[in-house]
Amino acid sequence: MTESADSVELLSTIEAVLYAADQPVSADRLVELVSKACDGDGDANLDVDTVRSACLELEERYRANASALQVMEIARGYRLGTRPHFDAIIRLLRQVERPTQLSLPALETLAVVAYRQPTTIAEIHSIRGKDPGAALRRLRDLRLVRITGRRRAVGRPFTYGTTDRFLELFGLRDLTELPSEEEFQELLEA
Amino acid sequence: MTESADSVELLSTIEAVLYAADQPVSADRLVELVSKACDGDGDANLDVDTVRSACLELEERYRANASALQVMEIARGYRLGTRPHFDAIIRLLRQVERPTQLSLPALETLAVVAYRQPTTIAEIHSIRGKDPGAALRRLRDLRLVRITGRRRAVGRPFTYGTTDRFLELFGLRDLTELPSEEEFQELLEA
Amino acid sequence: MRASDRRDDPIVADENSTPFLVHTESFDGPLDLLLHLVRRHEVAIEQVPLAQITAEYVETLELMAELELEPAAEFLEVAATLMRFKARALLPRPAVPEDPELAAQEEAVLLQQLVEHQVVRLAAQQLRHRENQAAAVWFRGEVSPAGIEATDSEIVEADLFTLVTAFRNVVAGLEEPAAFEVPREEFSVAECSAEIRAKLALGVPVPFLELFESGAPRGKLIATFLALLDLIRGSMVRAFQDGPLGTILVFSTDADDDVGTNETTA
């Protein structure tokens, strides 16, 4: 392999790592990873300086291409990110992204809330047979479920119900349009 | 702004969106986002075709640079990902083993659903020669298969189809990318 | 099925001495078994020697019952259908006169099912290929890849019946009565499971036959086989076959090394 082909390969290998990483990656770690991955063939004596200049070169390439991406040095490591110029459109994107699909436990918890509302955590727990805490939190984050009040009972527990967004998301005009509980159950079990 | 500067800007704007998105973004949505973000200045009459060719051009640029990134068409949208070549080093970085594959029976059941959708349990049963209940449950847990409706037949059985996650997991743009059943028949007769 | 009245078989899974059952629902169905038998004859589906296939089919079911693999009801239905075909073929005039058209139809339906099943298997292979390709692609900040392990396309995953048939050859070599006797000694499936995992721990694929200690009592062999099936069912171990009649290789999914992958780490 020619040196330039090697150096192109090093650049894209670093690019792959920075793209896939979810935190800054130090130059040391990059050396370690690339050496391990090449394992024998390729540059055995890869050093920190080579990696550092490769990161700079990658950033140079992005800049030359007017790419939206940039290599940043943060917290003693390298990180891939978008240039500030594109903040606005990314914020727009976040607003319109469709909600991620609900997991089965969340969906089942939602079913219980939909049919039993207003209902309490204890009730959901006893119907589902497990702590609905995590699922409920997620449903509240997604604004599908909300606190509707308090039960007049020992401990005055919160009661939960579904939101308008729930109706919208499931294409229902109102709660009377929910399929019968048996149908829903079947839907979940089928 | 010159036209070429405009087109470079479009490319990197799309790049920013695809980088930031955590799911495939359709051409329609890209048009909507870019139009909204530019709002007044820039190309008011951006159309789907322009966006599509910009995505191709972006992929072209990545390829020309021997970048680790690629623009893929998945689940009726565009998505940024790494090239398979870099799988090994990313695994090293992430310290993950290769995930387990779907079991063969689950995969076969998935194939039946993919080709026959919308299909019912009874149909799958008769094609597979065995009760698909367990496999279907697993496929639904994995959100690869979902209930799509009901058949107008005795007992009004539920019908099943594949999800977008199915397309994503198998890197398919849409269902037409699956080889046709005729092709398989030919293969068998050959 | 016989399996149900053999609950006190001394093959044990744990200290509680509960019988060890491998649930076949996560394995294959009767059409897989038929296809497996057809392929062994290396003929087109339409030219299947029905009488022979029927005998082999029933034999395999018996073997499964002996192994407590509890073949599902569907297996017995297909067996009954096959027996009817066979009876028809043997008797020029059936004792109970039946509509010949109906009989031919029934046979055509089964053959059609088999052909269709073959198509499904091809489609599944195609999906597997896709799955492998897609698994090597990473998205930003992804914790673990969406997909799946890469395996060489030349190698096919061994199905339940390939394993059962291979196992039959293991016990056929024993100079003991042909029937599967209930062994006197107690063999723990859990122990056999640990032994298999130890053999596979190096990450090197091990030929199926080498998992079975030569000269071991039948009960030990059966327990080893059941342990292997359970490991496969739990996705801890995978078995591959080099072509339809090729060697079966077993390897651990924990180990990094993979059968037949020639991927170079760039």
Side-chain angles (χ1 to χ4, degrees):
Chain A
M1 222 182 232
T2 66
E3 194 182 294
S4 98
D6 251 5
S7 107
V8 168
E9 171 76 14
L10 179 63
L11 243 63
S12 26
T13 305
I14 289 176
E15 188 183 27
V17 170
L18 297 186
Y19 175 81
D22 53 5
Q23 52 191 353
V25 185
S26 71
D28 285 339
R29 178 100 172 100
L30 279 172
V31 169
E32 185 196 329
L33 283 169
V34 176
S35 308
K36 254 197 210 163
C38 296
D39 202 18
D41 67 272
D43 234 332
N45 327 327
L46 188 70
D47 60 21
V48 174
D49 287 340
T50 313
V51 161
R52 276 192 202 288
S53 57
C55 287
L56 287 178
E57 218 179 306
L58 183 61
E59 165 62 12
E60 226 12 86
R61 192 173 83 188
Y62 285 146
R63 201 178 283 279
N65 283 320
S67 164
L69 305 182
Q70 58 175 336
V71 181
M72 293 173 290
E73 255 194 279
I74 344 169
R76 288 183 309 279
Y78 293 95
R79 181 161 202 182
L80 213 59
T82 50
R83 296 192 191 278
H85 178 62
F86 300 96
D87 268 5
I89 196 159
I90 292 173
R91 216 165 300 135
L92 275 176
L93 168 79
R94 297 262 183 258
Q95 280 167 22
V96 298
E97 259 187 316
R98 58 193 149 104
T100 38
Q101 267 185 302
L102 288 175
S103 68
L104 205 60
L107 206 61
E108 284 172 4
T109 305
L110 183 59
V112 175
V113 174
Y115 285 101
R116 296 297 159 88
Q117 59 188 307
T119 184
T120 64
I121 292 194
E123 270 176 14
I124 305 170
H125 194 146
S126 88
I127 292 169
R128 296 255 303 125
K130 50 187 155 186
D131 183 5
L136 260 187
R137 249 191 315 280
R138 173 121 179 84
L139 292 170
R140 291 190 57 203
D141 282 352
L142 293 171
R143 293 189 294 114
L144 296 171
V145 159
R146 65 189 179 91
I147 291 177
T148 55
R150 287 201 136 144
R151 177 83 38 103
R152 281 164 200 260
V154 183
R156 311 232 324 111
F158 286 119
T159 57
Y160 294 82
T162 53
T163 61
D164 283 352
R165 193 172 138 78
F166 162 77
L167 295 176
E168 265 167 48
L169 200 66
F170 288 81
L172 301 166
R173 203 176 45 229
D174 54 47
L175 286 173
T176 62
E177 277 203 349
L178 280 173
S180 79
E181 222 172 318
E182 290 71 33
E183 281 180 319
F184 209 98
Q185 210 54 41
E186 226 177 298
L187 217 136
L188 290 175
E189 280 162 10
Chain B
M1 224 182 233
T2 68
E3 196 183 292
S4 98
D6 251 5
S7 108
V8 167
E9 173 75 11
L10 179 61
L11 244 63
S12 26
T13 307
I14 290 176
E15 187 183 28
V17 170
L18 296 186
Y19 177 84
D22 46 22
Q23 50 196 333
V25 186
S26 70
D28 285 338
R29 185 153 283 161
L30 280 172
V31 169
E32 184 196 329
L33 282 167
V34 176
S35 308
K36 256 195 207 163
C38 295
D39 203 20
D41 67 272
D43 231 334
N45 327 329
L46 187 69
D47 62 19
V48 173
D49 286 340
T50 312
V51 161
R52 278 190 202 288
S53 56
C55 286
L56 286 178
E57 218 179 307
L58 183 59
E59 165 62 11
E60 228 9 87
R61 193 173 83 188
Y62 285 145
R63 202 179 282 278
N65 282 322
S67 166
L69 305 181
Q70 59 175 336
V71 180
M72 290 177 295
E73 269 193 83
I74 301 177
R76 294 177 299 275
Y78 293 95
R79 191 159 193 195
L80 206 61
T82 56
R83 296 192 191 274
H85 178 64
F86 301 96
D87 184 37
I89 195 161
I90 297 174
R91 266 178 217 291
L92 274 177
L93 167 80
R94 290 304 205 163
Q95 293 180 316
V96 289
E97 286 167 21
R98 302 183 158 182
T100 43
Q101 293 177 313
L102 282 178
S103 72
L104 204 59
L107 199 65
E108 286 174 11
T109 305
L110 184 59
V112 174
V113 175
Y115 279 97
R116 294 298 159 87
Q117 58 190 311
T119 185
T120 63
I121 292 194
E123 273 175 11
I124 305 170
H125 194 144
S126 94
I127 291 170
R128 297 264 300 129
K130 61 174 292 198
D131 182 6
L136 260 187
R137 249 192 314 282
R138 171 123 180 82
L139 292 172
R140 291 195 56 209
D141 282 354
L142 293 170
R143 294 191 290 113
L144 297 173
V145 158
R146 66 189 180 91
I147 289 180
T148 55
R150 284 197 142 147
R151 179 77 44 98
R152 281 165 200 259
V154 183
R156 311 232 322 112
F158 286 118
T159 56
Y160 294 81
T162 52
T163 61
D164 277 357
R165 192 172 137 79
F166 162 75
L167 296 177
E168 282 168 31
L169 195 67
F170 290 85
L172 297 164
R173 192 182 53 229
D174 52 42
L175 289 171
T176 63
E177 266 208 306
L178 287 173
S180 76
E181 260 180 277
E182 288 71 36
E183 284 174 77
F184 286 127
Q185 288 285 6
E186 268 168 47
L187 237 149
L188 280 178
E189 280 153 21
Chain C
M1 198 82 257
R2 227 172 321 170
S4 53
D5 22 283
R6 296 182 57 158
R7 287 287 152 100
D8 45 6
D9 199 299
I11 296 169
V12 291
D14 54 36
E15 308 81 57
N16 305 326
S17 295
T18 48
F20 184 85
L21 293 177
V22 175
H23 297 284
T24 50
E25 66 168 20
S26 52
F27 283 110
D28 319 71
L31 292 177
D32 297 281
L33 174 51
L34 273 180
L35 211 54
H36 168 77
L37 297 173
V38 170
R39 270 195 310 225
R40 278 161 49 86
H41 283 278
E42 297 186 83
V43 293
I45 286 180
E46 296 75 23
Q47 290 143 24
V48 170
L50 210 54
Q52 212 175 333
I53 294 273
T54 304
E56 287 168 2
Y57 185 94
V58 172
E59 244 173 77
T60 309
L61 283 204
E62 279 168 3
L63 184 66
M64 284 172 71
E66 301 280 1
L67 293 171
E68 302 206 336
L69 288 180
E70 303 218 332
E74 293 102 352
F75 282 92
L76 306 180
E77 284 164 24
V78 170
T81 309
L82 283 173
M83 302 285 234
R84 272 206 304 285
F85 295 166
K86 195 177 159 193
R88 265 185 224 127
L90 293 178
L91 303 172
R93 284 171 202 285
V96 184
E98 57 179 4
D99 187 349
E101 238 173 73
L102 202 73
Q105 219 176 28
E106 204 182 10
E107 232 165 287
V109 165
L110 187 66
L111 287 182
Q112 182 51 40
Q113 265 189 317
L114 266 187
V115 170
E116 206 164 357
H117 191 61
Q118 226 175 354
V119 172
V120 168
R121 289 184 77 132
L122 279 178
Q125 266 173 35
Q126 182 67 29
L127 283 182
R128 182 72 95 206
H129 178 66
R130 278 281 185 176
E131 189 185 26
N132 288 338
Q133 279 186 322
V137 173
W138 287 73
F139 300 110
R140 184 182 50 85
E142 205 175 23
V143 178
S144 63
I148 309 283
E149 190 168 341
T151 50
D152 197 76
S153 54
E154 291 299 303
I155 304 181
V156 290
E157 194 139 17
D159 62 20
L160 174 64
F161 305 111
T162 304
L163 296 171
V164 168
T165 309
F167 179 65
R168 185 162 58 179
N169 296 336
V170 171
V171 285
L174 289 182
E175 292 184 10
E176 277 183 50
F180 283 89
E181 287 195 329
V182 175
R184 292 297 100 200
E185 310 90 326
E186 295 209 341
F187 295 101
S188 147
V189 171
E191 273 170 33
C192 292
S193 179
E195 283 174 24
I196 293 175
R197 299 196 77 170
K199 279 185 186 160
L200 299 177
L202 288 177
V204 181
V206 173
F208 177 81
L209 287 177
E210 284 178 23
L211 295 178
F212 299 93
E213 196 186 318
S214 67
R218 193 181 294 268
K220 172 75 191 263
L221 297 177
I222 293 175
T224 304
F225 183 63
L226 292 177
L228 175 64
L229 288 188
D230 202 50
L231 286 171
I232 290 174
R233 196 173 62 90
S235 301
M236 285 170 284
V237 156
R238 303 182 64 195
F240 283 90
Q241 193 179 22
D242 199 357
L245 302 170
T247 323
I248 300 171
L249 291 173
V250 181
F251 72 97
S252 161
T253 52
D254 294 344
D256 262 351
D257 282 10
D258 208 350
V259 175
T261 28
N262 301 316
E263 282 179 332
T264 43
T265 36

